[in-house]
Each structure stands twice: as C-alpha cells, then as structure tokens.
Amino acid sequence: QLHVTDSGGRLVQAGDSLRLSCTASGYIASGYVLSWFRQAPGKEREFVGGLRWRDGATYYADSVKGRFTVSRENAKNTMYLQMNNLNPDDTAVYYCALASAGVIFPTPTRYNTWGRGTQVTVSI
C-alpha cells in the first residue's frame, strides 16, 4: 500500500511564494489521483487542488485558482503545489491525499491515504 509524505510548509510573508511537495512511497499507477487539502484552525478540511496521474489533468478550488498550481515529477513519484501571492487566509495545515479514482474528487472522504500535514503560516 502506498504512503504519501507532504513537506515544505513554513512561515512566509503576505505576497510570498512557496512550494509544497508530496512524495509517494512507491510507483504511482495511472489509476490514482493525488490532491491537496488544507485545514485552518476551527474550520473544516477543504479541497485546494488535485491531479489525475493518468493524464496530468488538474482541478482547483475557486479560492486558489490562478494563484496555486499543481504539478508532478513522475520519476520521483512526487506532486507539487506551487503557491503564489500568498495571503493570511491561506494559513493552514496542508495535507496531501491519495485516492484510487479516475476523477479528482474535492471531498476528503473519497481519499484513503493521507500525509501527516505541513504547516503554512502567512504573516501580514
């Protein structure tokens, strides 16, 4: 069974950029979807963006569209989340999640493998 490890979070200032990484423990077959979620204190976990491994198709939440980009590096079994023009509302723990699916679901319950999370804090 695959495991995923998310990393790259840290304290940044508003307007900065940051790249998160999500690395799988082994080969990612074409039938998988990898997505990013985030959870701020006192709020529910929300979908950020995802990537379908079969063809590289991506899908984003409206709140991050145009600022965040999901990409991958197949040889490293790694997905990235490039975040630009960060603002304090982006402060959260960011989680990588893996699902055996053909569609990028924005619902956390569709994912059965999760990273431990990486903290992103955006200061004013």
Side-chain angles (χ1 to χ4, degrees), residues 1 10 12 14 17 30-31 44 46 52 59 71 74-75 81 86-87 89 95 106 108 115:
Q1 181 178 355
R10 61 182 176 89
V12 296
S17 297
S30 60
E44 293 186 352
E46 67 171 355
R52 185 168 61 194
Y59 175 61
S71 63
N74 290 36
L81 179 66
L86 286 160
N87 62 66
D89 289 339
Y95 297 90

Side-chain angles (χ1 to χ4, degrees), residues 27-38:
Y27 173 74
I28 303 174
S30 60
Y32 282 99
V33 164
L34 277 165
S35 290
W36 289 99
F37 289 80
R38 67 185 181 184

Side-chain angles (χ1 to χ4, degrees), residues 50-67:
L51 184 147
R52 185 168 61 194
W53 209 258
R54 170 168 57 86
D55 58 3
T58 56
Y59 175 61
Y60 299 94
D62 288 342
S63 59
V64 305
K65 204 172 293 183
R67 297 190 299 125

